[in-house]
Amino acid sequence: MKIAPSLLSADFSRISDEIAMLERAGADYMHLDIMDGRYVPNLTWGPKIVGDIRKCTKKVFDAHLMIVEPEKYVDDFRKAGADIITFHLEATVHAQRLLSHIRSIGARAGISLNPSTPVALLEDVIEDCDLILIMSVNPGFGGQKYIPNALKKVRQTRALIDAHNPACELEIDGGIGRANIAEVCAAGADVVVMGSAIFSAADPVAELQALRALVETQPVGARA
Ligand code: DX5
Ligand code: ZN
């Protein structure tokens, strides 16, 4: 299991300290939520900020584009240092073309699905994807309530990935924390995005490690 803390919940006035803290805690990816105020009702940051924080860490930058016409901006985010570029299937007309373009510029290509978008729409592009991101909230804000139907979608996506592209990662994003991290991983998620669960904790380093332990640690008697 990989943990991808969402910097949406970080304090940007001290972002290099926040990133150093996440590295200490053992974060795998840095999840960057890019919002344009059109695809989602919120605004975050563009390529300049991504390029600036690129200097703070060598960790994988997992860019989640919640923007309309993502094809116009993927090159800029790649140049700024994004390693994984995920766009929303609902936000572009020619998804296969964009997946292939993202790979051609040296990034890993991801597609995200909103809670209302069926997993079946991935069938004809699954082999072009390096990551599928299942939204377990409607995108736009951190700290929202988990939508339980996501669990079914994770299972469906896991089956699709196992059958057609086992190297593809399966990420879940939105409302994940102590109450549901074990069940979403058991259903097949292998990358877990978490914002408020980590950053609202009194000790975010200990919290990230505790969240990981909920998935990875088995009782002593259960070990082989
Ligand atoms: C929501 C974003 C998420 C968000 C997750 O639109 O895509 O990455 O930051 O935050 P939590 O974990 O607080 O739901
Ligand atoms: Zn996200």
Side-chain angles (χ1 to χ4, degrees), residues 6 8 31-35 64 66 133 135 171 173-174 193:
S6 165
L8 188 62
H31 185 80
L32 306 177
D33 288 303
I34 315 292
M35 306 188 188
H64 175 195
M66 287 161 275
L133 170 51
M135 290 305 303
E171 185 173 51
D173 184 4
V193 177

Side-chain angles (χ1 to χ4, degrees), residues 28-211:
D28 297 284
Y29 296 166
M30 297 291 158
H31 185 80
L32 306 177
D33 288 303
I34 315 292
M35 306 188 188
D36 66 352
R38 293 185 64 206
Y39 185 69
V40 290
N42 195 5
L43 290 162
T44 56
W45 48 79
K48 166 72 165 66
I49 303 283
V50 173
D52 284 356
I53 63 172
R54 186 67 280 185
K55 297 170 199 158
C56 301
T57 179
K58 292 191 163 45
K59 290 280 175 191
V60 167
F61 269 11
D62 172 28
H64 175 195
L65 306 189
M66 287 161 275
I67 63 177
V68 297
E69 299 176 325
E71 59 277 4
K72 289 186 179 169
Y73 299 98
V74 293
D75 288 38
D76 291 339
F77 283 108
R78 176 61 184 150
K79 282 186 203 126
D83 301 294
I84 303 171
I85 301 178
T86 298
F87 61 90
H88 273 258
L89 184 60
E90 310 87 354
T92 192
V93 177
H94 300 292
Q96 197 282 335
R97 173 183 286 157
L98 186 51
L99 288 164
S100 153
H101 178 69
I102 291 169
R103 283 179 166 177
S104 80
I105 57 176
R108 288 154 68 191
I111 281 195
S112 183
L113 298 185
N114 281 330
S116 59
T117 305
V119 171
L121 293 181
L122 296 174
E123 270 175 27
D124 291 309
V125 288
I126 188 69
E127 286 166 30
D128 299 296
C129 295
D130 300 301
L131 180 143
I132 303 293
L133 170 51
I134 299 296
M135 290 305 303
S136 40
V137 297
N138 287 292
F141 301 93
Q144 300 184 82
K145 196 166 177 295
Y146 171 76
I147 298 173
N149 189 56
L151 199 64
K152 177 191 83 183
K153 295 176 71 172
V154 168
R155 288 197 189 100
Q156 291 172 338
T157 311
R158 170 51 55 201
L160 195 63
I161 286 174
D162 287 350
H164 299 288
N165 184 7
C168 182
E169 292 194 309
L170 174 47
E171 185 173 51
I172 184 158
D173 184 4
I176 308 296
R178 286 185 182 230
N180 50 16
I181 188 168
E183 72 177 20
V184 297
C185 290
D190 49 22
V191 185
V192 182
V193 177
M194 287 177 288
S196 52
I198 293 171
F199 285 97
S200 68
D203 181 347
V205 171
E207 188 62 22
L208 191 151
Q209 291 166 350
L211 286 158

Side-chain angles (χ1 to χ4, degrees), residues 19-31:
I19 289 174
M21 176 275 289
L22 294 171
E23 285 196 346
R24 262 198 327 278
D28 297 284
Y29 296 166
M30 297 291 158
H31 185 80

